[in-house]
Amino acid sequence: MLPSDDQKDRQKVTFKLPASLKANLKIRAAELRVDIQDAVADAMSEWKTAPHGEVPQVDTAGAPPFATWLTEASISQFKSECSDRGVPYVQGLAQAVTLWLSAHPSPRHQPLERATRRLIVCNQKGGVGKTAVTAGLGGAFAEDTELARLAGGAFPGDAELARVAALLVGKDSETGAPAALEADHEYEAPQLRVLLVDYDPQGHLTKQLGVKQLPANGPSLAKFMSRQVTGDIHDLIVPVDDERFGGRLDLLPSCQDAFLLDVMISAARNRQARLEHALEPLEAHYDVIIIDCPPSLGMAMDAAIYYGRERDGEREGQSGILIVVQAEDSSADAYSMLVEQIDDGMLDWRITTTYLGLVVNLYDARDGHVVTSSLNEWYALGEPRVIGVIPRRKEQREAARARRPLLAYDPSCAQSRVMRQIVKEIS
């Protein structure tokens, strides 16, 4: 396509712009599918019409260079307006971009018409793979339907996992899984807007997705929960950038100050509701919020249990607890302790919390009788029922090493397909 006369007349000009504004401008322009130069030109034009007293000052200390392409007329008009207002060019541009971002909100933060699902992924035993399941389910909820179908859909193809999938959908395990389970090409990915919350101070989810933990001296989820900071918790959100998720997958990163969360909220009234109060401003913008819980039975876990309760008007199973276990005896012991805490919380707070199911992670029948018999015991439990069995394979470890979501790293692998199967089971 030939450039317009306006584009032909543009020349390169260098200003300064705070790094955070530059990053947000780049993301927002991409989300709205506008050229970043057009966004800057519009920002300058809109800024000129804004009343002087209503334009807030922006901290521009240490702002790095920012180059863009503008027409000579727009540059001249902008500089003239900066002189009239008595502000440096760097301040004028920072104000203009700030106003433009405010006037052109992210499509990811548009209010929803339905209630947000809240999924609590937990087990007080560490090392069972809660983080891997959280990230995998988030990707499966947000994934593009057509790309999911091309990857083979929801059911794994290897014989042992196909047998397990057959159990989950009520087929006869003696005759093996029917061919339809080998590749569910009719699978419909939900394509929902998803927020992953790294509630664990160790920050494994944050690190696995290639994001830095929040600094201990700045705002964080723990500080919002303890009301030590004010402001907009949206500012902490980081998008998980991969075309597979179409801008629908976000992360609230962890911060090491969460190690002190129990102390920070111990004196708060209704401390079990602290997580809900902190995340409530985000709920209108996401279809699903998934909490990656720490391996703990403290007050932080109480707050997560309360957050996942059944609210008035919700259908049963819309929100609730998803417990990740392994096919081993120690996992059964930890499960019993967690269930006791959940049941005590329901009694104390007079709430109903739904057990969405068990996910048996890192399963490999080649490990022998202990593993296969443990899996059978999880099935025999009945309620909560087993809703997924994730194989012990290399792809999840490789994805974590590559700092990428599993479904983006290898969407066709058995682990990815079981993640889709779990989403299908609880949708």
Side-chain angles (χ1 to χ4, degrees), residues 6 16 35 66 76 210 222 241-242 263 307 347 383 425:
D6 177 71
K16 289 186 177 181
D35 190 280
F66 170 72
S76 176
D241 188 18
D242 190 282
V263 175
Y307 185 59
L347 182 63
E383 288 295 335
E425 285 290 312

Side-chain angles (χ1 to χ4, degrees), residues 142-159:
E143 187 179 33
D144 177 83
T145 286
E146 190 56 38
L147 293 177
R149 287 174 177 170
L150 291 173
F155 292 102
D158 75 52

Side-chain angles (χ1 to χ4, degrees), residues 187-406:
Y187 173 73
E188 291 282 345
Q191 289 191 180
L192 301 178
R193 284 185 280 181
V194 181
L195 176 64
L196 303 175
V197 177
D198 194 344
Y199 195 41
D200 187 345
Q202 298 175 90
H204 294 311
L205 178 61
T206 300
K207 295 168 187 174
Q208 285 189 19
L209 294 178
V211 177
K212 290 184 179 180
Q213 280 190 290
L214 297 170
N217 61 351
S220 66
L221 175 59
K223 291 188 179 71
F224 274 99
M225 289 177 65
S226 58
R227 294 181 173 172
Q228 295 182 19
V229 294
T230 59
D232 192 345
I233 195 170
H234 279 106
D235 294 339
L236 303 183
I237 302 300
V238 177
V240 178
D241 188 18
D242 190 282
E243 65 176 7
R244 188 166 205 90
F245 310 120
R248 292 180 293 271
L249 185 61
D250 288 347
L251 170 71
L252 176 53
S254 71
C255 179
Q256 290 186 351
D257 65 0
F259 278 117
L260 303 173
L261 181 58
D262 282 5
V263 175
M264 295 163 72
I265 66 174
S266 60
R269 293 183 60 189
N270 298 323
R271 57 179 178 259
Q272 75 275 7
R274 291 289 91 210
L275 180 61
E276 180 167 317
H277 289 323
L279 296 181
E280 196 170 29
L282 301 173
E283 289 185 10
H285 310 295
Y286 293 97
D287 298 288
V288 185
I289 295 179
I290 308 178
I291 312 292
D292 182 25
C293 291
S296 166
L297 295 178
M299 280 181 270
M301 190 61 220
D302 279 346
I305 295 168
Y306 187 82
Y307 185 59
R309 76 191 186 285
E310 184 179 314
R311 294 178 180 173
D312 291 343
E314 284 188 330
R315 63 174 175 82
E316 183 179 357
Q318 179 167 319
S319 299
I321 306 289
L322 194 152
I323 303 175
V324 182
V325 298
Q326 290 183 6
E328 58 177 34
D329 295 340
S330 62
S331 210
D333 295 336
Y335 165 79
S336 298
M337 296 171 66
L338 176 61
V339 167
E340 183 178 356
Q341 180 179 7
I342 295 170
D343 290 347
D344 285 347
M346 285 195 281
L347 182 63
D348 291 344
W349 306 318
R350 300 181 182 181
I351 62 173
T352 298
T353 299
T354 301
Y355 289 97
L356 297 175
L358 301 177
V359 174
V360 182
N361 193 31
L362 300 173
Y363 176 75
D364 192 335
R366 294 173 297 183
D367 288 342
H369 175 71
V370 171
V371 169
T372 56
S373 62
S374 292
L375 178 62
N376 289 333
E377 288 172 5
W378 287 122
Y379 274 112
L381 192 63
E383 288 295 335
R385 67 190 181 94
V386 175
I387 59 172
V389 179
I390 302 173
R392 189 180 69 203
R393 300 286 190 271
K394 65 178 182 175
E395 287 82 8
Q396 176 57 51
R397 296 192 301 273
E398 291 175 346
R401 173 69 65 85
R403 300 292 189 261
R404 296 186 65 196
L406 171 66

Side-chain angles (χ1 to χ4, degrees), residues 156-174:
D158 75 52
E160 175 61 18
L161 289 173
R163 184 187 72 81
V164 171
L167 286 172
L168 290 171
V169 296
K171 303 296 181 182
D172 183 359
S173 61
E174 296 301 321

Side-chain angles (χ1 to χ4, degrees), residues 92-104:
L93 181 62
Q95 291 180 7
V97 171
T98 299
L99 289 176
W100 186 86
L101 290 170
S102 178
H104 300 80

